[in-house]
Each structure stands twice: as C-alpha cells, then as structure tokens.
C-alpha cells in the first residue's frame, strides 16, 4: 500500500506540534485547578533560560564554540526548546493583555514550527522520496512515469525545503520581541 508524503511525514509533525499545545493546555488547566496560577506568571523566566541554553547547538554549528558533539547538542537544542516553549506558552496562558507579549509568543510559535520542519520533515522526506523513486525504478517505470507519480510528493518536498529562509529571521524577530517584552516588564515592574 502506497503512503503519501503528507500522511507519512506531515501528519506526524502536526501531531508533535499538537502535543506541545495539548501539554500547554493540560499544565495550564492543572495550575488553575490547584489555584497555582502564580506559577505560570514565573514560568517565562526558566522557559527563556532553557531556550537561550538551546542556542549552544547553533553556536557549535557556526563554530562560535568548540565543545560538545553536534548530534548531542542538536538533541539538547530540541529538548530544551520544546520544554522552554511549553513553559512560555503556559506563562502566556496567564492572560496577557498587551500586544508585545502576544507578538513575541506568535514569533516563538512560528520559530518552533520552522525548527520542527527542518528537524522532522526535511531529511525524512528526502529519504521517503528517494525510496519511492527506487521502488518505482525497480518496477521498471520510466523516469517520466516516476516523475509523474511523484509530482505532488516532490512539490511538497520543494516547499518544505524553504524552511531555512524562515527559521533564522523568525528567530531574530522572536529574540527582539522577547527582549522588548522583558525590558518592558523590568521598566514597569512595581519595585516595592
């Protein structure tokens, strides 16, 4: 039975992102249930620290730092970003009433989505297309017939390859909006 690229790769990606949103709802509901809403207000700090720590991978990849194995740092990057994003999403669930935190939150979500796209979809999709191409070739199909059968999968893959063009600028936008949010909190904090 033939499986499409959308069912094999995109749906699991959506389920993983959905698990982040579901975990946010569950944690937020538990905090409300046990009247611990004040914890959510403070989760932004450790969430931000975890996301900042996740940049060790990016620093290693760009040779800014020399320690750590890239694969280990990539796994750490993914874990710290997911947990940090969860904490920030719960923090945002404390009912923010100004635009700046919502813009930072939206930039973070787009950034998480673009990072997950690169991690989960791109390499697996490349392998998926190669495997399908090889299978069709073994069946004796011509290159033209193979290209025709793989058209929608190849089109989906080409769109997914554009993730790098989104990830870095969104990361920078998220960083700037996050810094602006933190500075505004410090500026308007009741320091009594």
């Amino acid at each position: 039975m033939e499986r499409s690229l959308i069912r094999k790769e995109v749906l699991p990606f959506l389920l993983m992102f959905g698990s982040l949103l579901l975990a946010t709802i569950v944690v937020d509901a538990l905090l409300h249930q046990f009247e611990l809403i004040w914890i959510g207000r403070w989760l932004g700090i450790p969430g931000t620290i975890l996301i900042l720590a996740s940049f060790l991978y990016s620093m290693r990849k760009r040779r800014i730092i020399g320690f750590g194995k890239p694969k280990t740092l990539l796994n750490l990057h993914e874990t710290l970003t997911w947990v940090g994003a969860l904490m920030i999403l719960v923090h945002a669930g404390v009912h923010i009433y100004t635009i700046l935190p919502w813009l930072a939150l939206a930039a973070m979500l787009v950034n998480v989505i673009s990072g997950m796209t690169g991690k989960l979809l791109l390499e697996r999709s490349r392998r998926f297309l190669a495997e399908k191409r090889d299978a069709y070739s073994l069946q004796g199909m011509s290159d033209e017939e193979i290209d025709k059968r793989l058209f929608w999968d190849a089109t989906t893959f080409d769109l997914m390859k554009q993730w790098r063009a989104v990830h870095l600028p969104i990361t920078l936008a998220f960083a700037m909006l996050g810094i602006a949010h933190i500075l505004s909190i410090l500026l308007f904090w009741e320091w009594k």
Side-chain angles (χ1 to χ4, degrees):
M1 179 178 201
E2 196 174 298
R3 293 176 62 193
S4 75
L5 183 59
I6 291 173
R7 272 186 285 156
K8 184 174 177 7
E9 304 297 339
V10 176
L11 288 179
F13 162 80
L14 292 174
L15 288 172
M16 187 173 190
F17 184 70
S19 71
L20 175 64
L21 298 179
L22 181 62
T24 301
I25 292 166
V26 168
V27 171
D28 190 57
L30 288 171
L31 290 176
H32 280 80
Q33 177 68 33
F34 294 106
E35 297 181 13
L36 297 171
I37 299 168
W38 62 271
I39 292 174
R41 181 174 308 279
W42 294 99
L43 283 178
I45 296 169
T48 300
I49 292 169
L50 290 176
I51 289 176
L52 289 173
S54 79
F55 282 109
L56 286 173
Y57 167 71
S58 300
M59 293 167 62
R60 174 72 166 99
K61 193 167 98 172
R62 288 167 181 76
R63 295 185 173 96
I64 296 170
I65 61 171
F67 63 87
K69 295 179 182 174
K71 179 66 175 162
T72 303
L73 290 175
L74 176 60
N75 290 336
L76 186 66
H77 172 75
E78 294 161 2
T79 303
L80 292 177
T81 301
W82 196 91
V83 174
L86 172 63
M87 289 178 167
I88 290 174
L89 286 168
V90 172
H91 168 73
V94 181
H95 315 294
I96 300 168
Y97 298 106
T98 60
I99 190 73
L100 183 59
W102 285 111
L103 291 174
L105 182 68
M108 182 193 74
L109 286 174
V110 171
N111 195 37
V112 167
I113 290 169
S114 70
M116 287 173 54
T117 299
K119 164 62 179 167
L120 295 176
L121 299 181
L122 201 56
E123 186 56 39
R124 288 167 57 184
S125 299
R126 180 177 290 126
R127 282 194 312 267
F128 176 80
L129 275 176
E131 289 168 4
K132 274 184 116 172
R133 183 171 294 283
D134 290 344
Y136 288 146
S137 183
L138 288 174
Q139 292 175 12
M141 290 184 188
S142 68
D143 286 343
E144 184 179 310
E145 179 64 24
I146 292 171
D147 288 342
K148 190 183 286 185
R149 289 216 180 183
L150 292 177
F151 175 77
W152 288 111
D153 287 336
T155 302
T156 303
F157 178 70
D158 287 341
L159 286 172
M160 289 169 18
K161 287 193 305 190
Q162 303 305 313
W163 79 273
R164 286 182 187 96
V166 173
H167 194 61
L168 183 59
I170 292 298
T171 299
L172 294 174
F174 168 52
M176 293 296 105
L177 290 165
I179 289 168
H181 170 60
I182 292 166
L183 290 175
S184 70
I185 293 297
L186 294 174
L187 184 64
F188 295 110
W189 190 284
E190 305 264 340
W191 292 96
K192 295 178 183 179

